[in-house]
Amino acid sequence: MQLQAPKGMKDVTPKDSYKWQAVESLAREICASYGYYETRTPVLEHTELFLRGVGDTTDIVQKEMYTFTDKGERSVTLKPEGTAGVVRMFLENRLFSEAQPTKMYYLYCPVFRYDKPQAGRFREHHQFGVEVFGAPRASADAEVIALACTLVGRLGVEKLSVNINSIGCPECRTTYNDALKAYLRENYNSLCETCKTRFEKNPIRILDCKEERCQGIVADAPKVLDFLCEDCAAHFEELKSCLDALDIAYKVDPMIVRGLDYYTKTVFEIISTEGAYKGTVCGGGRYDNLISELGGPEMCAVGFGMGMERLLLVAESFRQIPAPRPLDVYVAAVGEAARAQGLRFAAQLRKAGVSAEFDHVGRSFKAQFKYADKLGARRVAILGEDELLRGVVKLKDMAGGGERELPLEDAAGIINVIAVNETF
RNA sequence: GUGGGUGUAGUUCAGUUGGUUAGAAUGCCAGAUUGUGGCUCUGGAGGUCGUGGGUUCGAGACCCACCACUCACCCCA
């Protein structure tokens, strides 16, 4: 028995979950303000969906998928990204027949990729993502970028860079690929081995190569942006003016090439430049052909995926996420009769919306106080033999150290004392 | 997939050229008023020294293999 999570997978312990919840509730709040609704789709999909959706020449599909055969001999795959499943959901539920656009988000969506873990890279990670279907105008692209920036900004992350690019539609990309290959042909022998194979298969990926020699060659290569057709160029201009209108600072980076095959026109990345993780925190773009390629109607789409682990890493290096006060009242009771009364009292408090804890260990008064202190309880309600006889409960304020005695019957008065944020 | 680093109490780490019973801090539990937290003091529990081989009279230390973690490359969020 190996008492260890699978390689590259992490637990969220009860002590840390508040950080995730903080990010999640912020994301929900922001999405609601932008008019996005949550969608939830299975962790597993038929393998075919990703082969066709993500693209079978990508690294993700070729070597990183958790694919297996289930007991019914079906090939299924743990989601390697969020978009394909949402498109499937959209088509299966025929949401395309509703009024468009359809604006959706997903949160804490588990994503699996079989690669070697390192800082900010896991075999299972979780994405917050957003998809807008049926919104052709670039203002949708800008809205999605703005939403991502709002979340990251609200978390206090200051050092980041919004990089945008356009990789055009299939038409302009063919023209561009020809031009790129013509340019690269002269330097073909100087390219790294991987790039040599990319040359025929997917030359645009060479732009993304981190090898120094390839970067040198690629620096003066023709830019996709110069080959955009009229429509794509207009779309890119519209995006830029929308971002300007929203006061979002961005950088045009003609070298952005995303790792998923479905992108058209807009691609973007939000990159953290400082903190515990440096690199892409959010990546997305437009994918106008994916819905039809998966068997749906001609319908455009734009969206992004954001790595929540990365987001958290970065956010925490700028600002501590405040831990919520865990407990209003610790009910300390010793003696069987008092314990019975205390158990009831704790239940009454909870019913009134006051969080309460009760001793289940059988500790001494002293130990119960110590424990209450450790929990960060604001008040301790004391119920011992003495109080029981007199029908009262003592209420101690842990910060001030003072005590008040209240009749046990007067629940409302007790709640009031507890609820008021005073020190005594 | 390629390459580096690291594995010793729950946690962070000491552990001499290989030599008796493997330590500290912190955390946990208890006690210092038989009903009161934080501070202090005292005590206690807690370790197959990552696993398996090997060298040796003797291995936590040296060698080999494996495993895990970690970092970088690749790729990505």
Side-chain angles (χ1 to χ4, degrees):
Chain A
M1 181 67 188
Q2 201 173 13
L3 223 53
Q4 196 169 37
K7 194 183 179 80
M9 306 199 182
K10 290 260 183 291
D11 297 311
V12 177
T13 62
K15 274 189 175 159
D16 283 333
S17 54
Y18 74 90
K19 296 173 186 169
W20 286 81
Q21 289 170 343
V23 173
E24 286 161 15
S25 60
L26 193 54
R28 284 184 202 286
E29 184 190 312
I30 293 166
C31 282
S33 76
Y34 276 83
Y36 287 67
Y37 291 85
E38 184 178 1
T39 181
R40 304 188 188 194
T41 66
V43 259
L44 273 175
E45 293 282 357
H46 295 293
T47 304
E48 178 71 14
L49 179 70
F50 301 117
L51 297 184
R52 287 172 52 192
V54 180
D56 49 16
T57 63
T58 58
D59 271 13
I60 291 179
V61 167
Q62 281 186 337
K63 41 189 193 193
E64 294 177 2
M65 295 210 301
Y66 277 85
T67 297
F68 60 96
T69 309
D70 73 7
K71 291 185 182 184
E73 304 292 312
R74 287 169 284 253
S75 176
V76 289
T77 297
L78 260 20
K79 279 194 256 194
E81 57 96 51
T83 302
V86 174
V87 173
R88 197 227 78 235
M89 181 280 300
F90 182 77
L91 296 178
E92 184 172 341
N93 293 278
R94 313 202 139 260
L95 301 185
F96 47 79
S97 53
E98 313 270 313
Q100 302 302 328
T102 305
K103 309 209 292 184
M104 300 162 284
Y105 72 94
Y106 48 86
L107 198 51
Y108 198 69
C109 165
V111 169
F112 299 86
R113 290 181 200 166
Y114 195 89
D115 49 13
K116 213 167 166 184
Q118 65 186 62
R121 200 179 74 184
F122 312 95
R123 284 188 174 179
E124 179 193 35
H125 75 276
H126 298 82
Q127 290 194 4
F128 161 61
V130 138
E131 317 286 355
V132 181
F133 292 175
R137 297 293 298 266
S139 51
D141 310 29
E143 179 176 284
V144 145
I145 294 172
L147 193 157
C149 291
T150 307
L151 175 60
V152 174
R154 289 274 299 272
L155 284 167
V157 180
E158 283 143 21
K159 304 289 180 184
L160 48 77
S161 165
V162 178
N163 296 359
I164 63 168
N165 190 24
S166 176
I167 56 170
C169 58
E171 290 82 68
C172 21
R173 212 171 322 153
T174 351
T175 338
Y176 173 68
N177 275 346
D178 291 343
L180 183 61
K181 277 157 84 172
Y183 167 84
L184 289 173
R185 214 176 300 274
E186 313 165 18
N187 299 302
Y188 181 83
N189 289 324
S190 322
L191 289 172
C192 75
E193 288 312 305
T194 352
C195 283
K196 281 178 183 162
T197 66
R198 283 171 176 151
F199 184 82
E200 284 305 330
K201 229 168 58 181
N202 206 351
I204 199 167
R205 282 275 158 74
I206 300 176
L207 298 183
D208 215 21
C209 187
K210 304 291 187 290
E211 289 273 337
E212 211 170 303
R213 48 184 172 159
C214 296
Q215 288 207 327
I217 294 167
V218 145
D220 297 319
K223 306 277 186 283
V224 213
L225 289 176
D226 299 327
F227 288 79
L228 294 182
C229 64
E230 209 174 308
D231 181 38
C232 291
H235 187 90
F236 194 54
E237 287 312 309
E238 191 190 349
L239 170 63
K240 288 192 278 190
S241 55
C242 286
L243 290 174
D244 289 336
L246 290 166
D247 291 322
I248 292 171
Y250 61 88
K251 213 167 75 189
V252 175
D253 178 358
M255 295 301 168
I256 299 182
V257 179
R258 313 249 50 251
L260 304 145
D261 278 351
Y262 50 63
Y263 287 113
T264 56
K265 296 183 178 167
T266 309
V267 288
F268 68 90
E269 288 177 353
I270 298 178
I271 294 167
S272 155
T273 52
E274 267 175 47
Y277 175 78
K278 294 184 187 66
T280 308
V281 168
C282 175
R286 186 163 271 280
Y287 45 101
D288 286 347
N289 301 316
L290 181 59
I291 295 174
S292 61
E293 271 165 26
L294 288 175
E298 287 293 331
M299 191 180 279
C300 59
V302 59
F304 68 74
M306 192 181 288
M308 295 179 72
E309 282 84 353
R310 287 184 182 179
L311 180 63
L312 231 70
L313 270 173
V314 175
E316 282 196 285
S317 47
F318 283 97
R319 180 200 290 174
Q320 243 191 340
I321 297 169
R325 174 185 290 286
L327 185 62
D328 294 322
V329 187
Y330 186 94
V331 179
V334 166
E336 285 316 303
R339 282 181 60 87
Q341 195 62 254
L343 195 60
R344 284 171 55 84
F345 184 56
Q348 282 169 8
L349 290 172
R350 293 176 188 136
K351 207 168 163 189
V354 173
S355 66
E357 273 257 33
F358 185 70
D359 168 68
H360 300 301
V361 179
R363 288 188 232 252
S364 67
F365 259 120
K366 189 187 183 73
Q368 288 191 40
F369 269 91
K370 242 181 185 166
Y371 186 61
D373 184 54
K374 230 162 265 166
L375 292 179
R378 194 153 60 97
R379 309 267 153 92
V380 171
I382 305 153
L383 268 166
E385 302 295 334
D386 180 45
E387 287 79 10
L388 204 58
L389 281 173
R390 292 169 33 232
V392 297
V393 59
K394 261 188 206 153
L395 208 58
K396 174 164 178 162
D397 179 65
M398 292 297 268
E403 284 184 11
R404 282 184 188 178
E405 207 170 80
L406 298 152
L408 194 48
E409 297 309 311
D410 178 21
I414 293 167
I415 305 301
N416 199 31
V417 172
I418 290 164
V420 169
N421 205 0
E422 61 170 324
T423 304
F424 51 86

